PDB file of all heavy atoms in Angstrom:
ATOM      1  N   SER V   1       0.811  -1.206   0.084  1.00  0.00           N
ATOM      2  CA  SER V   1      -0.020   0.005   0.018  1.00  0.00           C
ATOM      3  C   SER V   1       0.797   1.306   0.038  1.00  0.00           C
ATOM      4  O   SER V   1       0.325   2.369  -0.344  1.00  0.00           O
ATOM      5  CB  SER V   1      -0.909  -0.032   1.183  1.00  0.00           C
ATOM      6  OG  SER V   1      -0.204   0.082   2.392  1.00  0.00           O
ATOM      7  N   SER V   2       2.139   1.137   0.292  1.00  0.00           N
ATOM      8  CA  SER V   2       2.928   2.323   0.465  1.00  0.00           C
ATOM      9  C   SER V   2       3.960   2.398  -0.752  1.00  0.00           C
ATOM     10  O   SER V   2       4.453   3.514  -0.967  1.00  0.00           O
ATOM     11  CB  SER V   2       3.742   2.382   1.724  1.00  0.00           C
ATOM     12  OG  SER V   2       4.622   1.359   1.818  1.00  0.00           O
ATOM     13  N   VAL V   3       4.266   1.461  -1.506  1.00  0.00           N
ATOM     14  CA  VAL V   3       5.093   1.428  -2.476  1.00  0.00           C
ATOM     15  C   VAL V   3       4.401   2.073  -3.844  1.00  0.00           C
ATOM     16  O   VAL V   3       3.392   1.628  -4.196  1.00  0.00           O
ATOM     17  CB  VAL V   3       5.765  -0.008  -2.845  1.00  0.00           C
ATOM     18  CG1 VAL V   3       6.498  -0.028  -4.188  1.00  0.00           C
ATOM     19  CG2 VAL V   3       6.415  -0.484  -1.651  1.00  0.00           C
ATOM     20  N   GLN V   4       5.314   2.823  -4.523  1.00  0.00           N
ATOM     21  CA  GLN V   4       4.717   3.400  -5.678  1.00  0.00           C
ATOM     22  C   GLN V   4       5.248   2.865  -6.989  1.00  0.00           C
ATOM     23  O   GLN V   4       4.660   2.874  -8.070  1.00  0.00           O
ATOM     24  CB  GLN V   4       4.952   5.007  -5.675  1.00  0.00           C
ATOM     25  CG  GLN V   4       4.241   5.664  -4.414  1.00  0.00           C
ATOM     26  CD  GLN V   4       3.977   7.054  -4.673  1.00  0.00           C
ATOM     27  OE1 GLN V   4       4.314   7.612  -5.649  1.00  0.00           O
ATOM     28  NE2 GLN V   4       3.302   7.597  -3.645  1.00  0.00           N
ATOM     29  N   ASP V   5       6.437   2.334  -6.840  1.00  0.00           N
ATOM     30  CA  ASP V   5       7.098   1.719  -8.097  1.00  0.00           C
ATOM     31  C   ASP V   5       6.413   0.428  -8.385  1.00  0.00           C
ATOM     32  O   ASP V   5       6.253  -0.468  -7.626  1.00  0.00           O
ATOM     33  CB  ASP V   5       8.540   1.394  -7.774  1.00  0.00           C
ATOM     34  CG  ASP V   5       9.351   0.741  -8.906  1.00  0.00           C
ATOM     35  OD1 ASP V   5       9.472   1.359  -9.914  1.00  0.00           O
ATOM     36  OD2 ASP V   5       9.532  -0.519  -8.871  1.00  0.00           O
ATOM     37  N   SER V   6       5.825   0.247  -9.598  1.00  0.00           N
ATOM     38  CA  SER V   6       4.973  -0.883  -9.983  1.00  0.00           C
ATOM     39  C   SER V   6       5.649  -2.146 -10.000  1.00  0.00           C
ATOM     40  O   SER V   6       5.265  -3.284  -9.549  1.00  0.00           O
ATOM     41  CB  SER V   6       4.403  -0.609 -11.315  1.00  0.00           C
ATOM     42  OG  SER V   6       5.283  -0.514 -12.355  1.00  0.00           O
ATOM     43  N   GLU V   7       7.036  -2.170 -10.403  1.00  0.00           N
ATOM     44  CA  GLU V   7       7.862  -3.362 -10.405  1.00  0.00           C
ATOM     45  C   GLU V   7       8.030  -3.873  -9.043  1.00  0.00           C
ATOM     46  O   GLU V   7       7.950  -5.109  -8.732  1.00  0.00           O
ATOM     47  CB  GLU V   7       9.092  -3.163 -11.055  1.00  0.00           C
ATOM     48  CG  GLU V   7       9.864  -4.461 -11.339  1.00  0.00           C
ATOM     49  CD  GLU V   7      11.254  -4.059 -12.271  1.00  0.00           C
ATOM     50  OE1 GLU V   7      11.180  -3.200 -12.993  1.00  0.00           O
ATOM     51  OE2 GLU V   7      12.103  -4.908 -12.026  1.00  0.00           O
ATOM     52  N   LEU V   8       8.410  -3.071  -8.078  1.00  0.00           N
ATOM     53  CA  LEU V   8       8.592  -3.365  -6.684  1.00  0.00           C
ATOM     54  C   LEU V   8       7.317  -3.806  -6.109  1.00  0.00           C
ATOM     55  O   LEU V   8       7.123  -4.852  -5.327  1.00  0.00           O
ATOM     56  CB  LEU V   8       9.194  -2.221  -5.933  1.00  0.00           C
ATOM     57  CG  LEU V   8       9.511  -2.448  -4.483  1.00  0.00           C
ATOM     58  CD1 LEU V   8      10.533  -3.636  -4.320  1.00  0.00           C
ATOM     59  CD2 LEU V   8      10.132  -1.196  -3.842  1.00  0.00           C
ATOM     60  N   LYS V   9       6.288  -3.182  -6.389  1.00  0.00           N
ATOM     61  CA  LYS V   9       4.920  -3.573  -5.740  1.00  0.00           C
ATOM     62  C   LYS V   9       4.562  -5.122  -6.392  1.00  0.00           C
ATOM     63  O   LYS V   9       4.042  -5.845  -5.463  1.00  0.00           O
ATOM     64  CB  LYS V   9       3.867  -2.549  -6.365  1.00  0.00           C
ATOM     65  CG  LYS V   9       2.488  -2.752  -5.666  1.00  0.00           C
ATOM     66  CD  LYS V   9       1.549  -1.759  -6.115  1.00  0.00           C
ATOM     67  CE  LYS V   9       1.750  -0.544  -5.177  1.00  0.00           C
ATOM     68  NZ  LYS V   9       0.624   0.401  -5.083  1.00  0.00           N
ATOM     69  N   ASN V  10       4.822  -5.355  -7.632  1.00  0.00           N
ATOM     70  CA  ASN V  10       4.539  -6.628  -8.040  1.00  0.00           C
ATOM     71  C   ASN V  10       5.444  -7.715  -7.400  1.00  0.00           C
ATOM     72  O   ASN V  10       4.790  -8.802  -7.095  1.00  0.00           O
ATOM     73  CB  ASN V  10       4.789  -6.853  -9.636  1.00  0.00           C
ATOM     74  CG  ASN V  10       3.642  -6.066 -10.286  1.00  0.00           C
ATOM     75  OD1 ASN V  10       2.651  -5.892  -9.936  1.00  0.00           O
ATOM     76  ND2 ASN V  10       4.095  -5.612 -11.529  1.00  0.00           N
ATOM     77  N   SER V  11       6.618  -7.444  -7.096  1.00  0.00           N
ATOM     78  CA  SER V  11       7.474  -8.316  -6.363  1.00  0.00           C
ATOM     79  C   SER V  11       7.064  -8.604  -5.016  1.00  0.00           C
ATOM     80  O   SER V  11       7.069  -9.735  -4.519  1.00  0.00           O
ATOM     81  CB  SER V  11       8.932  -7.804  -6.290  1.00  0.00           C
ATOM     82  OG  SER V  11       9.437  -7.743  -7.720  1.00  0.00           O
ATOM     83  N   VAL V  12       6.583  -7.617  -4.265  1.00  0.00           N
ATOM     84  CA  VAL V  12       6.069  -7.713  -2.933  1.00  0.00           C
ATOM     85  C   VAL V  12       4.777  -8.480  -3.040  1.00  0.00           C
ATOM     86  O   VAL V  12       4.500  -9.273  -2.136  1.00  0.00           O
ATOM     87  CB  VAL V  12       5.870  -6.342  -2.268  1.00  0.00           C
ATOM     88  CG1 VAL V  12       5.389  -6.451  -0.813  1.00  0.00           C
ATOM     89  CG2 VAL V  12       7.379  -5.604  -2.116  1.00  0.00           C
ATOM     90  N   GLN V  13       3.814  -8.289  -3.948  1.00  0.00           N
ATOM     91  CA  GLN V  13       2.641  -9.044  -4.096  1.00  0.00           C
ATOM     92  C   GLN V  13       3.019 -10.388  -4.217  1.00  0.00           C
ATOM     93  O   GLN V  13       2.273 -11.243  -3.687  1.00  0.00           O
ATOM     94  CB  GLN V  13       1.839  -8.416  -5.176  1.00  0.00           C
ATOM     95  CG  GLN V  13       1.227  -7.080  -4.813  1.00  0.00           C
ATOM     96  CD  GLN V  13       0.494  -6.528  -6.032  1.00  0.00           C
ATOM     97  OE1 GLN V  13       0.967  -6.670  -7.278  1.00  0.00           O
ATOM     98  NE2 GLN V  13      -0.601  -5.758  -5.809  1.00  0.00           N
ATOM     99  N   THR V  14       4.026 -10.775  -5.004  1.00  0.00           N
ATOM    100  CA  THR V  14       4.393 -12.119  -5.230  1.00  0.00           C
ATOM    101  C   THR V  14       4.942 -12.788  -3.935  1.00  0.00           C
ATOM    102  O   THR V  14       4.492 -13.896  -3.496  1.00  0.00           O
ATOM    103  CB  THR V  14       5.525 -12.334  -6.278  1.00  0.00           C
ATOM    104  OG1 THR V  14       5.002 -11.624  -7.477  1.00  0.00           O
ATOM    105  CG2 THR V  14       5.918 -13.689  -6.528  1.00  0.00           C
ATOM    106  N   MET V  15       5.700 -12.017  -3.112  1.00  0.00           N
ATOM    107  CA  MET V  15       6.191 -12.525  -2.029  1.00  0.00           C
ATOM    108  C   MET V  15       4.926 -12.729  -0.959  1.00  0.00           C
ATOM    109  O   MET V  15       4.886 -13.626  -0.249  1.00  0.00           O
ATOM    110  CB  MET V  15       7.142 -11.460  -1.182  1.00  0.00           C
ATOM    111  CG  MET V  15       8.413 -11.469  -1.861  1.00  0.00           C
ATOM    112  SD  MET V  15       9.655 -10.328  -1.308  1.00  0.00           S
ATOM    113  CE  MET V  15       9.092  -9.777   0.273  1.00  0.00           C
ATOM    114  N   ALA V  16       4.022 -11.901  -0.931  1.00  0.00           N
ATOM    115  CA  ALA V  16       2.814 -11.978  -0.131  1.00  0.00           C
ATOM    116  C   ALA V  16       2.120 -13.216  -0.477  1.00  0.00           C
ATOM    117  O   ALA V  16       1.658 -14.004   0.366  1.00  0.00           O
ATOM    118  CB  ALA V  16       1.874 -10.787  -0.141  1.00  0.00           C
ATOM    119  N   GLY V  17       1.926 -13.601  -1.669  1.00  0.00           N
ATOM    120  CA  GLY V  17       1.309 -14.757  -2.215  1.00  0.00           C
ATOM    121  C   GLY V  17       2.053 -16.013  -1.692  1.00  0.00           C
ATOM    122  O   GLY V  17       1.395 -17.014  -1.424  1.00  0.00           O
ATOM    123  N   LYS V  18       3.323 -15.970  -1.825  1.00  0.00           N
ATOM    124  CA  LYS V  18       4.130 -17.111  -1.381  1.00  0.00           C
ATOM    125  C   LYS V  18       3.944 -17.377   0.065  1.00  0.00           C
ATOM    126  O   LYS V  18       3.885 -18.511   0.465  1.00  0.00           O
ATOM    127  CB  LYS V  18       5.615 -16.908  -1.677  1.00  0.00           C
ATOM    128  CG  LYS V  18       5.972 -16.874  -3.136  1.00  0.00           C
ATOM    129  CD  LYS V  18       5.875 -18.214  -3.737  1.00  0.00           C
ATOM    130  CE  LYS V  18       6.158 -18.148  -5.167  1.00  0.00           C
ATOM    131  NZ  LYS V  18       6.070 -19.486  -5.888  1.00  0.00           N
ATOM    132  N   HIS V  19       3.879 -16.331   0.888  1.00  0.00           N
ATOM    133  CA  HIS V  19       3.674 -16.550   2.317  1.00  0.00           C
ATOM    134  C   HIS V  19       2.311 -16.930   2.618  1.00  0.00           C
ATOM    135  O   HIS V  19       2.148 -17.739   3.584  1.00  0.00           O
ATOM    136  CB  HIS V  19       4.033 -15.113   2.959  1.00  0.00           C
ATOM    137  CG  HIS V  19       5.495 -14.831   3.163  1.00  0.00           C
ATOM    138  ND1 HIS V  19       6.469 -15.656   3.860  1.00  0.00           N
ATOM    139  CD2 HIS V  19       6.224 -13.985   2.535  1.00  0.00           C
ATOM    140  CE1 HIS V  19       7.519 -15.180   3.731  1.00  0.00           C
ATOM    141  NE2 HIS V  19       7.504 -14.104   2.947  1.00  0.00           N
ATOM    142  N   ARG V  20       1.432 -16.614   1.850  1.00  0.00           N
ATOM    143  CA  ARG V  20      -0.097 -16.996   1.931  1.00  0.00           C
ATOM    144  C   ARG V  20      -0.063 -18.635   1.751  1.00  0.00           C
ATOM    145  O   ARG V  20      -0.777 -19.265   2.319  1.00  0.00           O
ATOM    146  CB  ARG V  20      -1.104 -16.261   1.143  1.00  0.00           C
ATOM    147  CG  ARG V  20      -2.471 -16.533   1.243  1.00  0.00           C
ATOM    148  CD  ARG V  20      -3.351 -15.567   0.552  1.00  0.00           C
ATOM    149  NE  ARG V  20      -2.925 -15.074  -0.710  1.00  0.00           N
ATOM    150  CZ  ARG V  20      -2.179 -13.878  -0.843  1.00  0.00           C
ATOM    151  NH1 ARG V  20      -2.117 -13.045   0.031  1.00  0.00           N
ATOM    152  NH2 ARG V  20      -1.919 -13.546  -2.053  1.00  0.00           N
ATOM    153  N   GLU V  21       0.656 -19.052   0.567  1.00  0.00           N
ATOM    154  CA  GLU V  21       0.724 -20.421   0.227  1.00  0.00           C
ATOM    155  C   GLU V  21       1.439 -21.227   1.402  1.00  0.00           C
ATOM    156  O   GLU V  21       0.904 -22.315   1.690  1.00  0.00           O
ATOM    157  CB  GLU V  21       1.507 -20.591  -1.018  1.00  0.00           C
ATOM    158  CG  GLU V  21       0.851 -20.125  -2.303  1.00  0.00           C
ATOM    159  CD  GLU V  21       1.747 -20.211  -3.537  1.00  0.00           C
ATOM    160  OE1 GLU V  21       2.815 -20.913  -3.447  1.00  0.00           O
ATOM    161  OE2 GLU V  21       1.458 -19.554  -4.510  1.00  0.00           O
ATOM    162  N   ILE V  22       2.409 -20.727   1.935  1.00  0.00           N
ATOM    163  CA  ILE V  22       3.273 -21.402   3.039  1.00  0.00           C
ATOM    164  C   ILE V  22       2.213 -21.479   4.269  1.00  0.00           C
ATOM    165  O   ILE V  22       2.118 -22.612   4.895  1.00  0.00           O
ATOM    166  CB  ILE V  22       4.469 -20.719   3.353  1.00  0.00           C
ATOM    167  CG1 ILE V  22       5.476 -20.772   2.256  1.00  0.00           C
ATOM    168  CG2 ILE V  22       5.071 -21.288   4.613  1.00  0.00           C
ATOM    169  CD1 ILE V  22       6.773 -19.881   2.282  1.00  0.00           C
ATOM    170  N   PHE V  23       1.653 -20.394   4.566  1.00  0.00           N
ATOM    171  CA  PHE V  23       0.546 -20.530   5.664  1.00  0.00           C
ATOM    172  C   PHE V  23      -0.401 -21.598   5.477  1.00  0.00           C
ATOM    173  O   PHE V  23      -0.662 -22.426   6.356  1.00  0.00           O
ATOM    174  CB  PHE V  23      -0.060 -19.036   5.798  1.00  0.00           C
ATOM    175  CG  PHE V  23      -1.102 -19.010   6.947  1.00  0.00           C
ATOM    176  CD1 PHE V  23      -0.810 -18.671   8.255  1.00  0.00           C
ATOM    177  CD2 PHE V  23      -2.337 -19.195   6.604  1.00  0.00           C
ATOM    178  CE1 PHE V  23      -1.557 -18.594   9.214  1.00  0.00           C
ATOM    179  CE2 PHE V  23      -3.276 -19.189   7.602  1.00  0.00           C
ATOM    180  CZ  PHE V  23      -2.943 -18.861   8.949  1.00  0.00           C
ATOM    181  N   ASN V  24      -1.073 -21.550   4.242  1.00  0.00           N
ATOM    182  CA  ASN V  24      -2.071 -22.508   3.940  1.00  0.00           C
ATOM    183  C   ASN V  24      -1.509 -23.986   4.073  1.00  0.00           C
ATOM    184  O   ASN V  24      -2.172 -24.870   4.376  1.00  0.00           O
ATOM    185  CB  ASN V  24      -2.684 -22.276   2.546  1.00  0.00           C
ATOM    186  CG  ASN V  24      -3.562 -21.092   2.619  1.00  0.00           C
ATOM    187  OD1 ASN V  24      -4.139 -20.704   3.654  1.00  0.00           O
ATOM    188  ND2 ASN V  24      -3.719 -20.431   1.403  1.00  0.00           N
ATOM    189  N   SER V  25      -0.221 -24.123   3.681  1.00  0.00           N
ATOM    190  CA  SER V  25       0.395 -25.517   3.727  1.00  0.00           C
ATOM    191  C   SER V  25       0.478 -25.972   5.176  1.00  0.00           C
ATOM    192  O   SER V  25       0.225 -27.197   5.482  1.00  0.00           O
ATOM    193  CB  SER V  25       1.748 -25.411   3.084  1.00  0.00           C
ATOM    194  OG  SER V  25       1.826 -25.203   1.794  1.00  0.00           O
ATOM    195  N   PHE V  26       0.824 -25.050   6.099  1.00  0.00           N
ATOM    196  CA  PHE V  26       0.929 -25.440   7.577  1.00  0.00           C
ATOM    197  C   PHE V  26      -0.528 -25.646   7.987  1.00  0.00           C
ATOM    198  O   PHE V  26      -0.680 -26.633   8.757  1.00  0.00           O
ATOM    199  CB  PHE V  26       1.487 -24.229   8.341  1.00  0.00           C
ATOM    200  CG  PHE V  26       3.071 -24.211   8.260  1.00  0.00           C
ATOM    201  CD1 PHE V  26       3.668 -23.123   7.763  1.00  0.00           C
ATOM    202  CD2 PHE V  26       3.688 -25.296   8.647  1.00  0.00           C
ATOM    203  CE1 PHE V  26       5.036 -22.961   7.690  1.00  0.00           C
ATOM    204  CE2 PHE V  26       5.216 -25.219   8.594  1.00  0.00           C
ATOM    205  CZ  PHE V  26       5.822 -24.049   8.116  1.00  0.00           C
ATOM    206  N   ILE V  27      -1.560 -24.907   7.539  1.00  0.00           N
ATOM    207  CA  ILE V  27      -2.910 -25.215   8.021  1.00  0.00           C
ATOM    208  C   ILE V  27      -3.315 -26.617   7.540  1.00  0.00           C
ATOM    209  O   ILE V  27      -3.943 -27.304   8.250  1.00  0.00           O
ATOM    210  CB  ILE V  27      -3.849 -24.162   7.485  1.00  0.00           C
ATOM    211  CG1 ILE V  27      -3.588 -22.874   8.180  1.00  0.00           C
ATOM    212  CG2 ILE V  27      -5.297 -24.595   7.599  1.00  0.00           C
ATOM    213  CD1 ILE V  27      -4.005 -22.769   9.685  1.00  0.00           C
ATOM    214  N   ASN V  28      -3.024 -26.991   6.315  1.00  0.00           N
ATOM    215  CA  ASN V  28      -3.303 -28.328   5.836  1.00  0.00           C
ATOM    216  C   ASN V  28      -2.624 -29.417   6.651  1.00  0.00           C
ATOM    217  O   ASN V  28      -3.209 -30.512   6.790  1.00  0.00           O
ATOM    218  CB  ASN V  28      -2.880 -28.283   4.364  1.00  0.00           C
ATOM    219  CG  ASN V  28      -3.818 -27.543   3.427  1.00  0.00           C
ATOM    220  OD1 ASN V  28      -4.987 -27.306   3.919  1.00  0.00           O
ATOM    221  ND2 ASN V  28      -3.284 -27.181   2.365  1.00  0.00           N
ATOM    222  N   LEU V  29      -1.446 -29.177   7.146  1.00  0.00           N
ATOM    223  CA  LEU V  29      -0.788 -30.178   7.994  1.00  0.00           C
ATOM    224  C   LEU V  29      -1.712 -30.377   9.251  1.00  0.00           C
ATOM    225  O   LEU V  29      -1.682 -31.513   9.692  1.00  0.00           O
ATOM    226  CB  LEU V  29       0.575 -29.662   8.548  1.00  0.00           C
ATOM    227  CG  LEU V  29       1.611 -29.694   7.617  1.00  0.00           C
ATOM    228  CD1 LEU V  29       2.919 -28.949   8.119  1.00  0.00           C
ATOM    229  CD2 LEU V  29       2.034 -31.034   7.143  1.00  0.00           C
TER     230      LEU V  29
END
């Protein structure tokens, strides 16, 4: 929400998605 550079914002969105996937993997355990 605070980054203005679109490339950096996309990278951070990808990282957030990866952390969400990892979180869901733990929940599935």
